[in-house]
Amino acid sequence: MTPQPLDTAATEALLAFWRDAGVDACYLDAPVDRTVFVAPPVAQTVQRATASITAIHGSRHGGLSGADAVGEARRLAAAATTLDELAQAIVAFEGCPLRAMGAKQAVFARGNPQGSFLLIGEAPGEVEDARGEPFVGQAGQLLDRMLAAAGLADQAFITNTVFWKTPGGRPPTPQEQAACAPFLERALALIQPKAVLLVGAAAAKSVLNTEEGLMKIRGQWREWRPAEGGISAPAPTPALATLHPAFLLRQPQAKRVAWADILSLAARLDTAKVEPNA
Ligand code: URA
């Protein structure tokens, strides 16, 4: 068959279709037709079995097992004495599997390091991956408007539970979050905020170490006690979970409860101004 000239418009349409379906990265040089079943050679079957055992007992990434990755993250994070050093340590860290899943760069933080609260979201998205800053897309703009309306515009230091975008914008896995957690704990220790705002279920569950649903725990003040063996902050920090702004964009009627949470945060920070130990 004579090869047909590449139809640019058709190719772009196909890429747009894949992108909308969540396919936003390529892992192999050539496409694999998965509609055709080819029995794998025995050696490959053994390799696959080994891979799934590794996935169950601790995935391997960047040459590190899950446990080794957490150890390496702790070592790098502990050596960082400033937020700039912490940002460099994150860039140097190869233990998070998300690094090799299509992310352009590490996305650490934006905002006021001397601000009164630390805001933790889920994971950078496409826009954040391109710009290198968290919460700068549509959801971030809504978040900024809400914070500004509550008088908290310049009070937030903003980061995420993981520092690389996830494929297709899926929530980060507990393993990915565990690999990044030592950096988050170090940020907490360096900033010593008066409170932490956890934005969305993935942030709330991971930081508060709970399986409770977001709708149950949002609006309740809890404490962030960094995991045993982690780098502890001077004291447990008050933490409040709220709804994710991306959810609010899809479900505007939920803004009312999220707004109540933001006001609760503003009130708590105001109290903290008067009583530093509150
Ligand atoms: N959603 C998040 O949770 N974090 C970002 O940085 C952007 C979108």
Side-chain angles (χ1 to χ4, degrees):
M1 207 169 94
T2 332
Q4 298 297 307
L6 193 66
D7 180 337
T8 311
T11 308
E12 280 176 0
L14 187 58
L15 285 172
F17 168 77
W18 280 342
R19 192 190 168 87
D20 290 349
V23 181
D24 64 355
C26 291
Y27 300 114
L28 297 172
D29 290 338
V32 177
D33 185 352
R34 300 194 189 277
T35 59
V36 179
F37 177 75
V38 180
V42 177
Q44 222 177 316
T45 315
V46 171
Q47 240 177 23
R48 275 206 201 126
T50 315
S52 43
I53 290 167
T54 312
I56 292 163
H57 295 288
S59 55
R60 293 207 152 263
H61 26 82
L64 298 175
S65 73
D68 290 348
V70 174
E72 174 67 355
R74 282 200 189 124
R75 193 186 63 72
L76 287 169
T81 56
T82 63
L83 288 170
D84 279 348
E85 285 177 14
L86 190 59
Q88 285 164 26
I90 290 168
V91 170
F93 179 55
E94 295 191 348
C96 179
L98 289 171
R99 257 186 94 113
M101 293 188 184
K104 289 191 181 72
Q105 57 183 322
V107 176
F108 173 40
R110 73 171 169 97
N112 182 1
Q114 272 92 45
S116 53
F117 74 102
L118 175 62
L119 187 150
I120 305 175
E122 178 173 297
E126 286 289 331
V127 185
E128 289 77 16
D129 182 50
R131 296 251 310 261
E133 285 190 317
F135 279 111
V136 288
Q138 252 195 313
Q141 286 161 21
L142 172 58
L143 184 67
D144 283 350
R145 285 199 298 276
M146 291 177 79
L147 296 180
L152 299 174
D154 55 352
Q155 288 303 309
F157 188 74
I158 300 177
T159 187
N160 282 301
T161 60
V162 296
F163 309 112
W164 291 269
K165 84 167 187 76
T166 58
R170 64 154 169 77
T173 66
Q175 290 76 15
E176 291 155 359
Q177 290 176 317
C180 295
F183 298 108
L184 211 49
E185 293 176 8
R186 189 66 182 149
L188 179 73
L190 290 171
I191 297 166
Q192 300 193 17
K194 295 189 173 74
V196 175
L197 184 66
L198 303 165
V199 168
K205 287 183 177 182
S206 157
V207 169
L208 299 176
N209 194 19
T210 179
E211 277 310 310
E212 290 170 282
L214 181 62
M215 286 307 181
K216 175 156 179 252
I217 61 175
R218 63 135 286 276
Q220 297 175 11
W221 281 98
R222 304 250 171 138
E223 279 187 339
W224 180 10
R225 295 171 180 270
E228 206 183 319
I231 305 143
S232 10
T237 310
L240 181 72
T242 191
L243 308 181
H244 197 286
F247 174 76
L248 300 180
L249 288 170
R250 293 191 302 271
Q251 305 279 335
Q253 75 281 7
K255 283 183 187 167
R256 194 174 51 85
V257 284
W259 179 240
D261 299 340
I262 302 281
L263 291 183
S264 172
L265 171 69
R268 177 106 192 193
L269 294 172
D270 214 33
T271 317
K273 253 190 245 161
V274 183
E275 300 166 44
N277 298 322

